[in-house]
Amino acid sequence: SRLAGALPEGMTALSVHENLGGRWQQVASGPLALVAAGMFDLDLKDVEESSKDSATIKLLEMFAGKKSYFAWYPSRTRTGETWLAFSSWTGFNGQLFRWGLLRPLLSDFRKISVGPGYNVWVQEDKGMYLALAVIEGYLIGTYSRDTADLLELIRRIECKAAPAPEIDKVLASKGKT
């Protein structure tokens, strides 16, 4: 699928979620959140608070209400540090986002133009960048020290790349090829 194809090879872990927005309270207080917080030096209290934050839950319901993929990578050639990539189907909400109608929901983000018709939304925290883009109904994003990591996901969506072998293995083991 194009959703899975957005994520490049080389991941060390993959998490696939259905209706993450509807399950955020459970996920944010679970073991996966603990691991992610540790990998990215996040304050666990902030992660737990996000599980009760109505704005976070609303965003996740809008942008991660269907299937979402999260992949952890041990390093990137530019920074050599751990990073996270994700993709989710947003459908019409993605179009509203691209048109700027949902901009008030992202007031802490700044917009960067990265090419014809593509805008990236970036938020910086302690030297890490959450970078988002919506392309053809897909929300793609990265959490890393380098916003350029998102360009690889954009390229993969544009060229309709096949899923990385690691994703195929996970989906095949679950009978969802």
Side-chain angles (χ1 to χ4, degrees):
S1 77
R2 288 186 71 192
L3 184 61
L7 304 175
E9 294 181 23
M11 64 193 70
T12 56
L14 174 70
S15 182
V16 181
H17 297 272
E18 297 283 346
N19 187 24
L20 182 60
R23 299 177 30 258
W24 181 243
Q25 290 177 319
Q26 172 190 359
V27 172
S29 59
L32 184 60
L34 292 172
V35 170
M39 289 175 71
F40 295 103
D41 197 28
L42 299 173
D43 186 340
L44 190 54
K45 184 179 177 186
D46 291 342
V47 175
E48 290 172 357
E49 286 176 5
S50 77
S51 72
K52 300 173 186 112
D53 180 57
S54 61
T56 299
I57 292 168
K58 177 147 181 82
L59 280 172
L60 287 170
E61 286 173 346
M62 292 177 74
F63 295 113
K66 304 235 186 259
K67 183 173 281 188
S68 302
Y69 291 88
F70 292 81
W72 283 264
Y73 296 84
S75 67
R76 205 57 183 157
T77 54
R78 291 171 53 98
T79 64
E81 297 187 46
T82 300
W83 66 293
L84 167 74
F86 56 90
S87 62
S88 185
W89 174 249
T90 63
F92 187 65
N93 286 329
Q95 192 60 45
L96 294 174
F97 178 86
R98 287 191 69 205
W99 290 337
L101 299 176
L102 302 177
R103 179 73 176 115
L105 296 175
L106 298 172
S107 60
D108 294 341
F109 287 73
R110 62 185 164 94
K111 183 171 89 170
I112 302 170
S113 180
V114 294
Y118 297 130
N119 292 313
V120 172
W121 301 89
V122 178
Q123 181 183 50
E124 189 267 338
D125 181 41
K126 300 177 192 167
M128 294 292 286
Y129 296 91
L130 176 59
L132 310 170
V134 175
I135 299 173
E136 298 179 24
Y138 299 94
L139 172 71
I140 55 176
T142 57
Y143 184 70
S144 72
R145 294 213 180 273
D146 190 348
T147 57
D149 289 333
L150 184 61
L151 298 177
E152 173 67 8
L153 277 65
I154 291 172
R155 184 195 66 76
R156 292 182 62 85
I157 284 282
E158 283 181 329
C159 71
K160 298 177 173 76
E166 302 97 326
I167 295 175
D168 279 340
K169 287 178 188 174
V170 169
L171 295 180
S173 72
K174 297 189 182 291
K176 298 182 179 184
T177 56

